[in-house]
Amino acid sequence: MPSILYSTTCYIKNDLYHLRICVDNNDQNSTNTQITTDSSTSIPNDITIDSIIPSLTRLHLIPVNEQKLTLVPREIILDHILSVKQTNTRLNGNRKHSSDISEINNINFTRTSSIEQSRRTSYSTLSSLISTVTVPRISTIRRPPSLARLFSIQSRRDSEAHLMHKTLVKLSYVDVSNSIRWNIKRLEIEVDTKDIADTLQLKVNLCLSTLKQRPHRLLAFVNPFGGKGRARFVYDKTVLPIFEEANIIVKSIYTQRANEAKDYLINEDLNEYDGVICVGGDGMFSELCQGLLLRTSQEAQLNINDPQVNITQPKLRIGIIPAGSTDAIVFGTTGLNDPITSTLQIIVGETLSIDIATIHNEQGFVRFMAAMLAYGFFGDIIHQSDKWRFLGPLRYDVAGFCQFILNRSYDTEVIVTLASSDSSQSTLPMSNVNDGVESSAMSDSQHLTNNTNSETIGNNQIDNTIKVLGKLVLSTSVFCKRHCEKCAERKNHNANKTNSSLEITRRGKYTTINCLNMPCRTAKSKFGISPFVHLGDGSFDVILVKRSWRTGFLRFLWQVANDSRSIENLPNVERYRVSEVVIRPIHINQKRCGNWACDGELLCGNEIKIRIHRQVLNLFASGIQFDNIEENTSKKEKQKTKCGSFFRCKKRKHCKKDINP
């Protein structure tokens, strides 16, 4: 049986309920236990902090008369309760406000004084008085025949006032019936006396004080120019009232220049805050990420210019309120760019640990990567769109069209270090793919670390091996979702421990090279560029798109926009799950090199090295629920017309033969 901490009766929507604060039994058989409504159940007088278990505490609302259809929830877990407050007084019978009672009394007093005055004045004076004084109309209430009419008017008013007084308590909670989109719901609870309302409010607030993961003071940075200037409106009209309702103190800073938030986080005192939030797009989040990680590195006295440095995790969490153009970070951590959902996840204290990568060039540290680094096509889009900022978000589409028409490719050498889990899986079949490759797994890794011009392994053999590796990754790929098992398995990962990982060197002309730490989902790409990349497993994806005709690259873009889950099956695309990568453009005949872009910002460098750091940043986010994603995708695919079949990728029938020769 669950322990009952507090119990009372109340009215909700004119129906009588038993309201109880209970702590569920941790026993396995407690799932089938129901709370009895017997009045003889022993109820403790006071709630103590020691008796409250936050994860097991619930607010039960049990109707006295069983109802078939009702919107009142049977139980609300403590973690989803936002606030409880007392409001005005209501009526019991016809549910009118107590202010109506005083209005009726004032009307009766006005009418009585008018009659007495009319006796002393003439008929004309009375007519002028009635024309100037407006008497509000009283709504008539039908009452059944009763002997109460024989009593005086004053006694009847006293009895009505005694029966009509009820105290109202407003309870706000988070509705998570939709696992992706969260909403706020409010219950108006009527109790008999103000003492009961005070006790209920005290008990619920005492239970809420045990939720240690919730923030109490936040520092908010608002980009008033982000997302066509709607960030300030979203924050002032939608986000800030919710924080005030949840009794969270927020200090708001409206930024006026670039890197203002980054400089503030590095130089100012942050000890009084429980978290930092940003209202804007991916660029605003990048500023907060850079500022917190650089501050933590300075406090730990780390040599950030060392490519092998291991960064430490900041104490503060970062929350993101989407109000930008793409909002790829929010799409990858919550599933959609809804400001209310992100605000509620900040309030309840949801925590999601993500990987962060360090970027170094030949001169030292450049910046941290949270979502994506691009060289080539997507970097050129960022470079071109910066010149057309007057177009707003449309500048990305115009710049993308121009770069597609140019169809540039760049001669580049890429050295990838496969993640330890993927390299251990790939050593087994490599000896069976090519007869010219030695049977030992160690010898295979040694051959692949050599240059592509090696006499032992030819280019065709390497290409065949790469295809097998890509199919192995695809066969074991799963979405990173809430409470991801793969990210949880690697919590004991030691960053200082060096594993013998497999290195692969690739050289050729590539239209674009993308390093993705997140899927980079947007409103225009449901699954993102790399749907199966995990947020906290200590690895990231590298996607190489080789030079091809415009139709081949258009096919790649079509896959990214519609369904990129099998993007590595395209003939001009390679995908790797890596822990490190070195990208080295090759200058031939002084041809123009491509542009670098990381999280929407341009970079400089002749050689870039990216190294992942596992779960070094905590966000106010819950992760994504992929319950019905397969069903929704299959329905949309059936509705597609046949004219787009040319751009969609079909799996080859002999894929299994290549994997199991």
Side-chain angles (χ1 to χ4, degrees), residues 315-327:
K315 296 180 180 179
L316 297 179
R317 289 175 287 180
I318 297 180
I320 314 167
I321 306 298
S325 302
T326 55
D327 299 324

Side-chain angles (χ1 to χ4, degrees), residues 194-212:
K194 190 176 185 302
D195 294 337
I196 298 178
D198 294 337
T199 305
L200 176 60
Q201 182 178 3
L202 178 63
K203 302 298 184 182
V204 175
N205 287 331
L206 182 62
C207 294
L208 291 177
S209 64
T210 61
L211 299 174
K212 303 301 181 183

Side-chain angles (χ1 to χ4, degrees), residues 570-619:
L570 293 174
N572 60 331
V573 178
E574 300 174 5
R575 180 169 72 92
Y576 306 93
R577 183 67 49 84
V578 306
S579 58
E580 292 183 12
V581 63
V582 177
I583 304 175
R584 185 181 298 119
I586 300 175
H587 303 274
I588 299 177
N589 298 329
Q590 296 182 352
K591 288 186 177 180
R592 178 181 177 274
C593 295
N595 293 286
W596 305 88
C598 177
D599 296 339
E601 300 294 334
L602 293 173
L603 305 180
C604 296
N606 297 324
E607 178 179 325
I608 293 294
K609 180 178 181 180
I610 306 171
R611 181 168 176 262
I612 197 68
H613 301 266
R614 182 192 162 275
Q615 296 187 9
V616 294
L617 188 65
N618 291 329
L619 303 182

Side-chain angles (χ1 to χ4, degrees), residues 4-16:
I4 301 177
L5 303 179
Y6 177 75
S7 178
T8 186
T9 57
C10 62
Y11 282 92
I12 302 176
K13 297 182 179 180
N14 300 335
D15 296 325
L16 185 61

Side-chain angles (χ1 to χ4, degrees), residues 3 42 96 111 118 148 161 170 199 258 272 283 309 325 355 472 486 489 532 544 565 572 588 590 617 629 646:
S3 302
S42 60
K96 290 182 177 294
R111 296 176 65 185
S118 64
K170 181 179 289 186
T199 305
E272 60 178 331
V309 67
S325 302
D355 299 337
L472 284 174
K486 184 175 182 181
E489 288 176 357
F532 301 115
L544 308 178
R565 289 175 292 181
N572 60 331
I588 299 177
Q590 296 182 352
L617 188 65
I629 192 169
F646 173 77

Side-chain angles (χ1 to χ4, degrees), residues 14-221:
N14 300 335
D15 296 325
L16 185 61
Y17 282 81
H18 289 288
L19 186 149
R20 292 182 177 179
I21 302 176
C22 305
V23 178
D24 293 345
N25 189 1
N26 202 13
D27 191 6
Q28 296 179 353
N29 298 327
S30 62
T31 55
N32 298 327
T33 304
Q34 296 182 354
I35 301 176
T36 60
T37 59
D38 188 6
S39 60
S40 62
T41 306
S42 60
I43 308 296
N45 295 327
D46 295 326
I47 296 180
T48 60
I49 296 294
D50 298 334
S51 61
I52 300 174
I53 304 176
S55 60
L56 302 177
T57 304
R58 284 165 171 76
L59 180 68
H60 292 270
L61 299 171
I62 306 171
V64 175
N65 299 323
E66 192 69 24
Q67 299 179 0
K68 294 182 179 180
L69 298 176
T70 179
L71 297 178
V72 179
R74 288 299 183 93
E75 70 173 17
I76 304 173
I77 65 175
L78 179 63
D79 193 29
H80 290 166
I81 298 177
L82 295 181
S83 63
V84 54
K85 297 179 181 179
Q86 293 188 43
T87 57
N88 52 1
T89 307
R90 300 189 68 178
L91 301 177
N92 184 21
N94 49 13
R95 296 294 188 263
K96 290 182 177 294
H97 290 278
S98 61
S99 59
D100 297 340
I101 301 175
S102 60
E103 183 180 356
I104 294 173
N105 294 333
N106 294 332
I107 293 171
N108 291 332
F109 176 77
T110 304
R111 296 176 65 185
T112 304
S113 61
S114 300
I115 294 173
E116 292 177 355
Q117 188 177 1
S118 64
R119 296 175 181 176
R120 303 175 185 177
T121 57
S122 61
Y123 179 78
S124 59
T125 306
L126 179 63
S127 301
S128 61
L129 179 64
I130 294 175
S131 61
T132 56
V133 178
T134 304
V135 180
R137 184 177 181 182
I138 307 173
S139 59
T140 59
I141 302 175
R142 295 184 179 180
R143 298 184 179 89
S146 174
L147 296 177
R149 298 180 182 178
L150 300 177
F151 296 96
S152 62
I153 298 175
Q154 185 65 32
S155 62
R156 185 172 60 190
R157 291 175 187 167
D158 295 339
S159 62
E160 288 179 357
H162 176 72
L163 293 175
M164 289 187 294
H165 273 87
K166 286 288 182 180
T167 305
L168 185 66
V169 177
K170 181 179 289 186
L171 180 71
S172 302
Y173 67 97
V174 182
D175 178 28
V176 293
S177 57
N178 187 334
S179 59
I180 296 181
R181 187 182 297 274
W182 291 13
N183 292 311
I184 301 178
K185 288 193 175 180
R186 299 172 179 87
L187 288 178
E188 293 183 349
I189 302 173
E190 296 179 6
V191 294
D192 293 332
T193 63
K194 190 176 185 302
D195 294 337
I196 298 178
D198 294 337
T199 305
L200 176 60
Q201 182 178 3
L202 178 63
K203 302 298 184 182
V204 175
N205 287 331
L206 182 62
C207 294
L208 291 177
S209 64
T210 61
L211 299 174
K212 303 301 181 183
Q213 77 277 9
R214 288 196 175 186
H216 301 286
R217 294 183 62 90
L218 294 173
L219 177 62
F221 293 95

Side-chain angles (χ1 to χ4, degrees), residues 625-659:
Q625 291 282 8
F626 284 96
D627 296 335
N628 301 323
I629 192 169
E630 297 292 341
E631 298 178 1
N632 297 334
T633 304
S634 61
K635 291 180 181 179
K636 289 184 178 181
E637 287 180 352
K638 292 180 181 180
Q639 297 176 356
K640 290 180 179 178
T641 56
K642 295 182 179 180
C643 62
S645 60
F646 173 77
F647 301 103
R648 293 195 298 269
C649 174
K650 297 182 180 179
K651 294 183 178 180
R652 294 181 298 174
K653 296 181 180 180
H654 55 279
C655 286
K656 296 183 179 179
K657 296 181 181 180
D658 294 340
I659 297 177

Side-chain angles (χ1 to χ4, degrees), residues 367-597:
R367 62 180 291 122
F368 297 100
M369 182 188 78
M372 175 181 175
L373 180 139
Y375 175 74
F377 178 78
F378 293 102
D380 296 340
I381 290 178
I382 299 298
H383 179 265
Q384 187 70 31
S385 62
D386 277 351
K387 303 177 182 178
W388 298 337
R389 285 189 173 272
F390 62 92
L391 295 177
L394 182 62
R395 66 184 185 272
Y396 297 110
D397 297 333
V398 177
F401 177 77
C402 294
Q403 295 301 324
F404 173 77
I405 296 299
L406 294 175
N407 194 26
R408 291 170 176 166
S409 60
Y410 307 98
D411 196 359
T412 313
E413 182 182 28
V414 183
I415 303 174
V416 297
T417 302
L418 297 183
S420 58
S421 60
D422 293 332
S423 62
S424 61
Q425 294 175 359
S426 62
T427 54
L428 179 60
M430 287 175 58
S431 60
N432 299 327
V433 175
N434 301 299
D435 297 334
V437 184
E438 298 180 7
S439 60
S440 173
M442 181 60 70
S443 62
D444 288 336
S445 61
Q446 291 176 354
H447 284 304
L448 285 174
T449 55
N450 296 331
N451 296 330
T452 55
N453 296 327
S454 175
E455 297 178 358
T456 308
I457 302 180
N459 291 332
N460 295 332
Q461 293 176 336
I462 292 181
D463 292 338
N464 294 333
T465 304
I466 295 306
K467 292 179 181 179
V468 174
L469 293 178
K471 293 171 186 176
L472 284 174
V473 173
L474 177 63
S475 62
T476 58
S477 295
V478 292
F479 289 109
C480 183
K481 56 185 179 180
R482 188 177 185 181
H483 306 303
C484 178
E485 297 179 356
K486 184 175 182 181
C487 296
E489 288 176 357
R490 304 186 60 162
K491 284 187 176 180
N492 297 326
H493 172 73
N494 187 3
N496 296 322
K497 183 179 179 180
T498 57
N499 298 325
S500 58
S501 300
L502 182 65
E503 287 188 357
I504 299 176
T505 301
R506 303 292 290 163
R507 178 174 176 177
K509 288 189 175 182
Y510 297 100
T511 304
T512 179
I513 299 175
N514 304 319
C515 303
L516 297 114
N517 197 26
M518 290 186 179
C520 292
R521 298 182 181 90
T522 62
K524 298 181 179 180
S525 178
K526 178 180 179 180
F527 293 98
I529 302 178
S530 184
F532 301 115
V533 64
H534 284 255
L535 303 179
D537 66 341
S539 65
F540 63 99
D541 282 6
V542 175
I543 295 181
L544 308 178
V545 182
K546 293 181 289 187
R547 180 182 181 181
S548 62
W549 295 98
R550 290 185 179 88
T551 54
F553 189 66
L554 181 61
R555 191 177 182 182
F556 164 77
L557 297 178
W558 178 272
Q559 288 286 106
V560 170
N562 292 273
D563 189 356
S564 58
R565 289 175 292 181
S566 58
I567 196 171
E568 56 275 332
N569 283 349
L570 293 174
N572 60 331
V573 178
E574 300 174 5
R575 180 169 72 92
Y576 306 93
R577 183 67 49 84
V578 306
S579 58
E580 292 183 12
V581 63
V582 177
I583 304 175
R584 185 181 298 119
I586 300 175
H587 303 274
I588 299 177
N589 298 329
Q590 296 182 352
K591 288 186 177 180
R592 178 181 177 274
C593 295
N595 293 286
W596 305 88

